[in-house]
Amino acid sequence: MSAYNRGTELDLSWISKIQVNHPAVLRRAEQIQARRTVKKEWQAAWLLKAVTFIDLTTLSGDDTSSNIQRLCYKAKYPIREDLLKALNMHDKGITTAAVCVYPARVCDAVKALKAAGCNIPVASVATGFPAGQTHLKTRLEEIRLAVEDGATEIDVVINRSLVLTGQWEGSDFIKTSTGKETVNATFPVAIVMLRAIRDFFWKTGNKIGFKPAGGIRSAKDSLAWLSLVKEELGDEWLKPELFRIGASTLLSDIERQIYHHVTGRYAAYHDLPMS
Amino acid sequence: MRTGVIGLILPPTFSFLEMMWRICPALAVGCTVVALVPPASPTPLLLAQLSGELGPFPGVLNVISGPASLVPILASQPGIQKVAFCGALEEGRALRRSLAGECAELGLALGTESLLLLTDTADIDSAVEGVVDAAWSDRGPGGLRLLIQESVWDEAMRRLQERMGRLRSGRGLDGAVDMGARGAAACDLVQRFVCEAQSQGAQVFQAGDVPSERPFCPPTLVSNLPPASPCAQVEVPWPVVVASPFRTAKEALLVANGTPRGGSASVWSERLGQALELGYGLQVGTVWINAHGLRDPSVPTGGCKESGCSWHGGPDGLYEYLRPSGTPAQLSCLSKNLNYDTFGLAVPSTLPAGPEIGPSPAPPYGLFVGGRFQAPGARSSRPIRDSSGNLHGYVAEGGAKDIRGAVEAAHQAFPGWAGQSPGARAALLWALAAALERRKSTLASRLERQGAELKAAEAEVELSARRLRAWGARVQAQGHTLQVAGLRGPVLRLREPLGVLAVVCPDEWPLLAFVSLLAPALAYGNTVVMVPSAACPLLALEVCQDMATVFPAGLANVVTGDRDHLTRCLALHQDVQAMWYFGSAQGSQFVEWASAGNLKPVWASRGCPRAWDQEAEGAGPELGLRAARTKALWLPMGD
């Protein structure tokens, strides 16, 4: 993680002065997807870079230690070994950025990663994920227990009732949503958030990270996200310390694209290891 | 009714889409097109191939790829009924001068500069994207003048410079570039502009990932350019953005309207009232609110002032290629030995041949300027004879000074009049109609002295009053909104007044023609300077007596005198926004030639008589079209 956000005094005048014109932002969002297309070996390189930003996530009701173990192994070896060898990237230590699980599964995740010999962080969702409507006492206890079990990053669900009444909190990262809503990470929303991050950096010097989550399934989308961050914030933010993508099926699509790039053929479902 | 053969002259910077936007309406209406395109770009070849595919209809679309020297040759070909020229200002001017009197009509679409107005209540990041769309991309036609409110100057400049750093320039087929190159000539123009701007004290900032080879020029931001410097007067080339600050919205309008160019502009403000006020106040052809560069074939796109007054797209674009049914094609009135320098310069003397016999007439009429009768500057008057040769009265001999005074008075009255609602204007026109009817007997007797029958004279007076009422009513019923596919939100097609309209009335129908021209001009919000019928201006002056009581001062100004001399003064006046001329063929040619000075739209009769008593010609929709100009106001919706 980058240096912690020291925070500033809450100054609501910063927010009231900001104007956002929705149709203009929508237009910009359309343009982003069309205007920065990357092809061939550069596309492969960007895809590998995108892999290093993924918070490999599993947040379903039937998570058990077996699928967590599979997930952690996949986080350590996201792309099949021979494909990486063909790209000469097998020794660059390409792993996903983190593994993201429910608090009850943090123990299993830590154990599985240790067994695989991997030191990527375990992130836990906490504080009454996904609705956030639990008592403050239990929410704090959840965080404490998750950290005790070995999680080093927490995805906090903010108390929306506080938001709607204008009582704000600070953070090191901002995330588009829990990923469990009907509409999750869209480009117009992201553009506004990235501009806010940039403004905050210009005003205070603190760099806040950004994580879109939910609905990012195709490799093409992930490339658009990368170029969006590059355009709005610059190369400094294209690091796992400041940018994460919360995704689960994205990794398999990226792997398929890499397979196609290396072999020239389209993979079958069973050609690539499950996550 | 369609016009006929169109000669279309296109500049090298046009994309295929823009060419099609001009060709397709012409073809759709039934005209045939000869397009002259410079050989610099490969798009004309694609165009020619397309026209070859129109197998069953050979000759409908013809493409000539040739240098600019062919332009006057094409324009003066006898078969061409209309020349539509798109390109640079000076060439358009030269073309206007050389085509004066020729049978082809001329439509001009000049200049490529646009304007972006950034207020302090704008979404600055999105406005910066608007600047990129306007100037630093392949979609924008030319450079940009950027007006930024002082309080957000630093923020806006910082974001602009950041954004410029991320732009990429390269060959067009590379999928990840923002802009390409437009040829070595464009590059040289930019270099010259930048050097001059720097020598005049401006700061120049260039950034972006641009190859250093010849035809690529980097995105450029020029600031602190003194407004009085020569660089600030010329058109801004692509891809340069010239940024200047303003303090209040009022100042913004003054600065924005303070150039001769009037193409397109965008206003960035989240306050609806302010955005609309600025949008209505800008003297341009297209205004986008919180957007830039949106285009659609169903929305009229054009300009005003020195951006030329021809339109493409929407209903106005179709009217370019149509003329009213029943009117003959324009005849050439070209007189090769018309001396533009001496036409109308000297006033022939009007000394009477011998002593006057008969009862002493009333004292001479003055000029009707600024709401009252005044003596002319030259302090002389001319006699008017009736149909039997007797003296009917004396009218003032107006000169250049009087024209100047009349135009000034009209300008003073214009803001108030244009700001009135259509209903208020209609009310005044109706009041004038009522006044005319009250004075029917006086007017009819004057007309009788000019040789009309009593019944015909009375009918003329009644028709005049009816026309005044009709135009008042017509202006009130105006539909505005256009539907544009793919846009959420309306696009308004506004009809705005031109400004000060100069009208030279025909000799015949001294009352009816005068009123038929006055009514639509006033109804649409213009103020007028009229030169009444030379044969009998007394009718017009009688109407002035009523106008003095009914109208605000300066609304309509009537100047009598030598027609050619007054025509010359009006045609050469830089502050007259449009001119209608119904006099001789020679005068028409002069008026067309002289309009090149400020590129005012001209409607000249070329010596052909017009049936003023017929509905179609005397009160038809053509008058309404010519009395106002269009503005497209885009209002994208969403929160």
Side-chain angles (χ1 to χ4, degrees):
Chain A
M1 290 295 290
S2 63
Y4 290 120
N5 179 8
R6 299 276 159 234
T8 57
E9 281 293 317
L10 177 62
D11 184 357
L12 283 174
S13 70
W14 287 4
I15 302 178
S16 54
K17 266 192 249 161
I18 294 179
Q19 304 280 0
V20 174
N21 184 272
H22 193 205
V25 170
L26 286 175
R27 259 178 269 125
R28 172 75 174 137
E30 279 169 28
Q31 278 173 9
I32 280 285
Q33 297 168 65
R35 245 198 279 172
R36 291 282 186 266
T37 46
V38 192
K39 295 288 177 202
K40 300 190 194 154
E41 59 261 37
W42 296 281
Q43 189 187 62
W46 278 52
L47 286 173
L48 288 179
K49 184 101 179 142
V51 167
T52 63
F53 293 134
I54 295 180
D55 274 358
L56 203 54
T57 311
T58 176
L59 294 169
S60 38
D62 53 1
D63 282 341
T64 58
S65 60
S66 59
N67 79 322
I68 297 286
Q69 200 179 39
R70 203 170 55 223
L71 189 84
C72 292
Y73 191 84
K74 188 75 181 175
K76 167 103 167 112
Y77 301 107
I79 309 285
R80 222 172 67 179
E81 188 76 14
D82 59 332
L83 296 174
L84 282 181
K85 269 218 182 80
L87 294 172
N88 202 15
M89 294 291 284
H90 51 281
D91 50 357
K92 299 286 193 293
I94 293 189
T95 64
T96 63
V99 171
C100 187
V101 293
Y102 271 119
R105 302 270 70 83
V106 171
C107 251
D108 294 329
V110 167
K111 208 158 64 183
L113 284 175
K114 207 150 149 203
C118 183
N119 61 352
I120 62 179
V122 174
S124 164
V125 298
T127 65
F129 187 92
Q133 296 274 9
T134 50
H135 285 283
L136 181 60
K137 205 156 143 204
T138 46
R139 283 188 273 134
L140 291 175
E141 186 66 14
E142 255 190 86
I143 297 179
R144 203 176 57 77
L145 289 171
V147 171
E148 257 182 35
D149 282 346
T152 49
E153 300 174 5
I154 306 288
D155 277 9
V156 174
V157 179
I158 58 177
N159 185 338
R160 268 178 272 186
S161 54
L162 291 181
V163 168
L164 293 168
T165 55
Q167 304 169 59
W168 293 98
E169 307 158 12
S171 69
D172 296 306
F173 248 78
I174 52 176
K175 190 170 163 187
T176 53
S177 67
T178 57
K180 299 286 189 190
E181 305 290 316
T182 41
V183 173
N184 290 305
T186 58
F187 287 114
V189 163
I191 289 173
V192 176
M193 288 173 80
L194 290 171
R195 285 175 180 172
I197 292 178
R198 187 181 57 204
D199 279 356
F200 188 73
F201 173 59
W202 281 349
K203 280 200 167 74
T204 64
N206 288 324
K207 290 189 187 161
I208 303 296
F210 175 65
K211 175 172 171 177
I216 306 178
R217 287 188 200 90
S218 72
K220 191 152 159 266
D221 272 348
S222 72
L223 292 179
W225 282 100
L226 256 68
S227 56
L228 178 61
V229 173
K230 188 181 165 86
E231 285 266 310
E232 290 285 333
L233 293 173
D235 288 339
E236 292 169 10
W237 259 263
L238 281 178
K239 295 199 287 269
E241 293 87 33
L242 287 172
F243 178 54
R244 297 287 178 81
I245 302 178
S248 40
T249 48
L250 176 64
L251 186 52
S252 42
D253 196 49
I254 291 185
E255 211 178 351
R256 297 167 75 77
Q257 293 295 321
I258 304 246
Y259 183 97
H260 174 68
H261 177 255
V262 169
T263 64
R265 301 192 299 272
Y266 288 105
Y269 172 68
H270 55 258
D271 278 329
L272 301 164
M274 261 176 86
S275 63
Chain B
M1 196 169 113
R2 66 185 185 286
T3 301
V5 178
I6 313 283
L8 194 59
I9 300 165
L10 302 167
T13 51
F14 263 23
S15 67
F16 189 67
L17 184 63
E18 304 207 305
M19 290 185 192
M20 292 314 277
W21 267 346
R22 286 171 171 80
I23 293 174
C24 291
L27 295 180
V29 161
C31 303
T32 53
V33 175
V34 176
L36 174 67
V37 217
S41 49
T43 32
L45 299 178
L46 182 56
L47 200 61
Q49 183 178 343
L50 209 70
S51 53
E53 288 172 11
L54 295 169
F57 302 98
V60 162
L61 172 62
N62 308 282
V63 179
I64 306 174
S65 179
S69 52
L70 288 181
V71 169
I73 302 175
L74 175 67
S76 43
Q77 288 295 309
I80 294 216
Q81 266 93 54
K82 183 171 175 114
V83 175
F85 176 82
C86 312
L89 175 64
E90 287 311 317
E91 286 169 31
R93 262 212 179 104
L95 193 63
R96 169 78 272 179
R97 291 204 172 104
S98 62
L99 273 187
E102 303 268 3
C103 61
E105 284 177 44
L106 181 63
L108 295 169
L110 309 170
T112 54
E113 187 191 271
S114 52
L115 177 83
L116 196 146
L117 218 147
L118 217 172
T119 64
D120 59 356
T121 54
D123 175 0
I124 302 183
D125 288 301
S126 293
V128 165
E129 292 299 325
V131 174
V132 172
D133 278 341
W136 297 320
S137 71
D138 281 330
R139 282 181 307 287
L144 183 74
R145 281 173 68 224
L146 179 58
L147 297 181
I148 307 178
Q149 193 146 15
E150 232 172 13
S151 48
V152 292
W153 175 265
D154 292 323
E155 276 200 56
M157 292 301 273
R158 180 178 195 176
R159 278 158 222 255
L160 274 171
Q161 289 170 352
E162 273 271 328
R163 186 74 179 92
M164 283 166 82
R166 309 235 194 274
L167 293 171
R168 295 187 73 227
S169 175
R171 313 209 87 78
L173 290 178
D174 176 350
V177 293
D178 293 297
M179 45 193 250
R182 291 199 185 171
C187 206
D188 289 334
L189 191 60
V190 172
Q191 294 276 45
R192 277 201 305 272
F193 186 87
V194 165
C195 290
E196 268 205 57
Q198 274 174 326
S199 68
Q200 285 152 24
Q203 285 172 340
V204 175
F205 178 83
Q206 292 181 322
D209 180 7
V210 181
S212 46
E213 292 127 38
R214 192 63 176 74
F216 290 103
C217 36
T220 310
L221 178 63
V222 175
S223 54
N224 289 336
L225 186 65
S229 70
C231 254
Q233 316 293 328
V234 299
E235 197 177 60
V236 180
W238 180 91
V240 180
V241 172
V242 176
S244 2
F246 65 89
R247 289 165 299 172
T248 61
K250 256 206 188 110
E251 195 183 14
L253 275 182
L254 287 174
V255 173
N257 290 334
T259 67
R261 292 173 284 283
S264 56
S266 63
V267 175
W268 292 80
S269 163
E270 292 294 315
R271 276 172 38 204
L272 180 66
Q274 184 189 53
L276 286 177
E277 174 116 46
L278 290 170
Y280 273 69
L282 285 169
Q283 287 168 7
V284 289
T286 306
V287 177
W288 298 284
I289 307 283
N290 289 325
H292 198 108
L294 305 175
R295 285 203 200 283
D296 190 88
S298 61
V299 174
T301 312
C304 63
K305 297 196 283 190
E306 281 188 10
S307 290
C309 52
S310 92
W311 291 81
H312 66 276
D316 301 80
L318 288 182
Y319 284 130
E320 288 282 311
Y321 301 119
L322 296 172
R323 57 166 197 272
S325 34
T327 56
Q330 254 187 328
L331 297 171
S332 166
C333 63
L334 181 62
S335 136
K336 294 221 186 305
N337 36 13
L338 177 62
N339 189 338
Y340 295 116
D341 296 323
T342 60
F343 176 87
L345 193 58
V347 178
S349 84
T350 51
L351 287 175
E356 291 293 337
I357 306 168
S360 174
Y365 281 91
L367 307 168
F368 184 66
V369 172
R372 56 189 185 83
F373 286 94
Q374 337 178 334
R379 305 269 185 242
S380 71
S381 42
R382 54 170 48 206
I384 301 294
R385 311 226 163 254
D386 64 15
S387 56
S388 34
N390 298 328
L391 188 61
H392 198 163
Y394 283 97
V395 297
E397 186 75 39
K401 274 221 182 79
D402 306 302
I403 290 288
R404 192 183 76 190
V407 172
E408 266 178 39
H411 268 294
Q412 278 201 330
F414 176 70
W417 183 238
Q420 299 260 9
S421 66
R425 287 186 230 136
L428 283 180
L429 289 175
W430 285 42
L432 184 63
L436 283 189
E437 286 186 330
R438 276 196 295 272
R439 307 230 292 137
K440 185 152 71 169
S441 43
T442 326
L443 293 170
S445 65
R446 286 248 189 226
L447 280 169
E448 264 194 290
R449 273 192 76 172
Q450 289 301 120
E453 301 244 330
L454 179 61
K455 276 234 158 355
E458 290 187 341
E460 189 173 337
V461 177
E462 276 170 23
L463 186 55
S464 307
R466 242 200 342 269
R467 291 242 167 109
L468 280 167
R469 293 208 174 89
W471 279 111
R474 222 171 278 188
V475 155
Q476 294 192 67
Q478 289 251 20
H480 281 327
T481 323
L482 301 166
Q483 268 317 106
V484 172
L487 179 79
R488 276 192 77 214
V491 177
L492 304 182
R493 174 177 173 259
L494 305 172
R495 295 285 287 161
E496 299 198 326
L498 298 160
V500 173
L501 189 52
V503 181
V504 176
C505 299
D507 278 339
E508 67 270 17
W509 296 99
L511 176 64
L512 185 60
F514 178 80
V515 171
S516 300
L517 291 167
L518 180 74
L522 289 183
Y524 279 93
N526 306 295
T527 49
V528 291
V529 174
M530 312 212 33
V531 175
S533 152
C536 180
L538 298 170
L539 270 303
L541 292 167
E542 289 282 342
V543 178
C544 289
Q545 294 191 11
D546 292 306
M547 291 202 288
T549 49
V550 171
F551 283 169
L555 196 58
N557 305 281
V558 175
V559 179
T560 48
D562 179 62
R563 187 174 69 191
D564 283 345
H565 180 59
L566 295 177
T567 301
R568 184 193 182 84
C569 299
L570 285 169
L572 290 174
H573 202 300
Q574 293 280 103
D575 213 5
V576 167
Q577 274 71 50
M579 185 152 181
W580 294 351
Y581 181 83
F582 293 94
S584 63
Q586 282 210 337
S588 303
Q589 184 176 341
F590 180 81
V591 164
E592 290 180 358
W593 178 87
S595 72
N598 68 341
L599 290 175
K600 51 168 95 52
V602 167
W603 183 21
S605 66
R606 302 233 171 133
C608 296
R610 205 174 162 90
W612 293 100
D613 50 341
Q614 305 296 324
E615 263 307 295
E617 297 196 11
E622 186 182 13
L623 285 159
L625 279 175
R626 290 193 187 265
R629 65 156 196 258
T630 304
K631 174 191 280 184
L633 185 65
W634 292 70
L635 292 163
M637 186 174 99
D639 185 28

